[in-house]
Amino acid sequence: MQLSVIILNYNVRYFLEQCVLSVQNALEGIDAEIIVVDNASSDDSCQMIKEKFSNVTLIENKDNLGFPKGNNIGVAKAKGENICILNPDTVVAEDTFSKILDFVNRLRQAQSDKRQSKVELVETDFGIIGCKLIDGSGKFLPECKRGVPTPWVAFTKIFGLYKLFPNSSWFNQYYAMHLNENQSGEVDILVGAFMVMKRDLYLEVGGFDENCFMYSDDIDLSYLVKKAGYSNYYFADTTVIHYKGESTVRDGLYMKRFREAMQFFYKKHFKKSWFFDVVMQLGSFAFSLLKVFQSKTIKVKKPEHYILVSEEYNDEILTKISNKLKVNINKKGKEIPLDLRVEFIIDLKSISFKKAIELMENNMNKAYTFKFLSVNHDFLIGSNNSNERGEVILL
């Protein structure tokens, strides 16, 4: 088997449904499997998987075991030569996995050719591959490619120095700014929302460290792979939506776990001094507080104009959406002033996930928002900002 896609879920039933459908479409023609690990969700996530995706392997944990342990359980059941760790609040394009696997094969071939030609400076084997991520508004998420957060690199991030000196290698390492968002290349750290790697390598380095409940686990795994002599890669030729934070309420518990995760990584990998410890504790506290503050202060502005993007005109569903939102919705193609706040409602029954993602990227604008109309036309789903939880509207 070429690939096992492992999705760890916790209380995001509708995001999970959309994610699994997109993955299922993207795996057509590929020898692959989908494994959903549920961490004791209290919604009907598991029932939905059983009813709508009978070919998916479902593992139902009795407790919320955290991100590392939940994924380790999924990997233990996987049969694929390669695995993909995927968040449930993601959407992949129909050609995402075929492109990723082609990239994997090209990397393997290039490394094999170098070995056969006995080149002295042979590149290390590939480790983890990540891809371009955007949020629910189409905005690029810079955390999908990062450098090792050494004490200095973390300092430049916490105090925003990378913004002041984006072209300086001294200050721009946190977001691996030696590559722009559309350049593929080697990076140190990738995000756990989308990670592809050999299953054997995952097991070789011990997988996600279960001593960390969540948040720094992807940094730790990427760093372990790098320390083991492998190269991690950012692949920019496919784009995945990551709504972000759908399983997480940004409250006091979030702040506690975030601070603990940052301390876990530094205690595990770096020598400490009392000065460094104080700086990192203050920095992680300030950073987590900022995230909570951002999520509390977001002002939701109602769109002034709605556009239905669909290849099929369905008066019944159009009326249903209009009544639910209490607005008038125009079909695609009607001209509107560019300064109006516009929400695009993308009909996934007639628009592919790839086209939907392209539409988001090509129309990314502070005044534009997006919602996906499910294939069965029974719910709308979307997120206007990576610092807020997304919205599901049942129809």
Side-chain angles (χ1 to χ4, degrees):
M1 184 176 288
Q2 289 178 276
L3 180 66
S4 297
V5 180
I6 295 148
I7 305 169
L8 178 66
N9 177 68
Y10 181 66
N11 284 333
V12 286
R13 176 249 188 268
Y14 293 99
F15 285 92
L16 176 65
E17 179 179 339
Q18 181 172 260
C19 173
V20 173
L21 180 60
S22 73
V23 171
Q24 190 172 260
N25 292 351
L27 291 177
E28 287 189 13
I30 298 174
D31 184 13
E33 64 179 348
I34 303 172
I35 299 173
V36 171
V37 182
D38 186 80
N39 262 350
S41 294
S42 57
D43 59 11
D44 65 342
S45 292
C46 293
Q47 188 62 31
M48 180 274 296
I49 291 293
K50 293 173 184 176
E51 292 177 357
K52 298 193 174 188
F53 302 100
S54 58
N55 60 328
V56 168
T57 299
L58 174 64
I59 300 172
E60 299 181 67
N61 292 331
K62 294 182 179 180
D63 299 297
N64 184 0
L65 303 177
F67 186 87
K69 190 167 185 176
N71 276 296
N72 288 345
I73 289 172
V75 173
K77 293 288 186 181
K79 302 173 185 176
E81 178 184 359
N82 303 292
I83 58 169
C84 175
I85 304 297
L86 187 69
N87 271 26
D89 56 346
T90 58
V91 177
V92 302
E94 282 78 3
D95 59 357
T96 290
F97 293 120
S98 60
K99 283 186 172 182
I100 289 285
L101 290 174
D102 180 63
F103 183 61
V104 167
N105 291 332
R106 282 187 281 130
L107 284 175
R108 285 176 175 164
Q109 187 59 49
Q111 290 158 0
S112 175
D113 291 344
K114 287 189 176 184
R115 291 191 185 95
Q116 291 174 11
S117 61
K118 298 181 180 180
V119 176
E120 290 186 8
L121 297 176
V122 178
E123 289 186 15
T124 57
D125 286 342
F126 78 90
I128 305 173
I129 297 174
C131 73
K132 183 178 180 181
L133 299 180
I134 59 173
D135 68 11
S137 69
K139 182 180 178 182
F140 174 68
L141 293 171
E143 62 266 27
C144 63
K145 57 177 183 68
R146 289 171 287 176
V148 177
T150 61
W152 167 249
V153 172
F155 181 85
T156 64
K157 161 62 178 174
I158 291 171
F159 294 97
L161 299 179
Y162 71 98
K163 295 180 181 178
L164 299 176
F165 308 100
N167 297 318
S168 170
S169 60
W170 282 93
F171 299 98
N172 67 6
Q173 296 175 54
Y174 188 86
Y175 286 129
M177 294 167 73
H178 65 285
L179 298 174
N180 67 43
E181 64 185 81
N182 297 314
Q183 286 180 300
S184 299
E186 188 176 340
V187 297
D188 294 326
I189 306 297
L190 296 161
V191 67
F194 185 98
M195 285 180 158
V196 174
M197 62 190 299
K198 296 178 190 175
R199 181 175 181 272
D200 287 347
L201 174 57
Y202 185 95
L203 299 175
E204 176 188 328
V205 298
F208 288 115
D209 191 327
E210 296 179 10
N211 291 311
C212 177
F213 190 81
M214 61 193 307
Y215 296 126
S216 68
D217 32 57
D218 50 1
I219 301 174
D220 179 59
L221 181 63
S222 298
Y223 192 53
L224 289 174
V225 168
K226 179 179 171 63
K227 286 176 66 177
Y230 298 86
S231 295
N232 298 325
Y233 288 90
Y234 168 71
F235 181 64
D237 290 347
T238 190
T239 301
V240 168
I241 301 170
H242 181 207
Y243 291 107
K244 290 191 66 175
E246 296 308 319
S247 303
T248 305
V249 177
R250 288 181 172 172
D251 53 11
L253 180 60
Y254 163 83
M255 291 180 63
K256 179 177 181 291
R257 284 180 172 168
F258 184 87
R259 294 197 308 273
E260 288 175 348
M262 293 302 100
Q263 292 302 310
F264 160 80
F265 180 76
Y266 288 107
K267 287 179 181 178
K268 180 174 179 179
H269 294 291
F270 296 100
K271 292 181 180 179
K272 289 201 309 171
S273 67
W274 68 268
F275 176 76
F276 170 70
D277 190 49
V278 169
V279 170
M280 292 314 303
Q281 287 201 38
L282 289 174
S284 60
F285 175 79
F287 190 69
S288 60
L289 184 64
L290 174 64
K291 289 296 183 183
V292 172
F293 178 77
Q294 287 175 332
S295 66
K296 300 292 185 185
T297 57
I298 293 171
K299 295 181 180 179
V300 179
K301 294 182 179 180
K302 186 176 180 179
E304 300 170 279
H305 209 89
Y306 291 80
I307 297 179
L308 176 65
V309 183
S310 178
E311 293 178 357
E312 300 176 3
Y313 182 77
N314 186 320
D315 187 64
E316 182 181 349
I317 190 59
L318 192 62
T319 302
K320 194 175 183 181
I321 298 172
S322 298
N323 291 339
K324 191 72 177 182
L325 297 178
K326 296 181 174 57
V327 296
N328 292 318
I329 300 178
N330 293 315
K331 288 192 68 182
K332 175 183 63 174
K334 184 157 184 175
E335 293 186 5
I336 56 173
L338 294 177
D339 59 343
L340 288 182
R341 291 192 299 276
V342 177
E343 179 151 287
F344 292 90
I345 297 176
I346 304 172
D347 181 8
L348 294 176
K349 187 173 183 179
S350 61
I351 303 295
S352 70
F353 286 106
K354 182 177 180 179
K355 286 184 179 179
I357 292 170
E358 289 175 349
L359 188 150
M360 291 174 66
E361 287 191 286
N362 294 336
N363 292 278
M364 202 282 289
N365 183 304
K366 289 183 179 180
Y368 291 173
T369 55
F370 304 88
K371 280 193 174 61
F372 287 174
L373 174 61
S374 66
V375 170
N376 293 326
H377 290 173
D378 52 355
F379 64 89
L380 290 166
I381 194 168
S383 175
N384 298 341
N385 188 293
S386 59
N387 289 315
E388 68 171 347
R389 301 188 78 192
E391 182 181 20
V392 176
I393 300 173
L394 300 182
L395 299 176

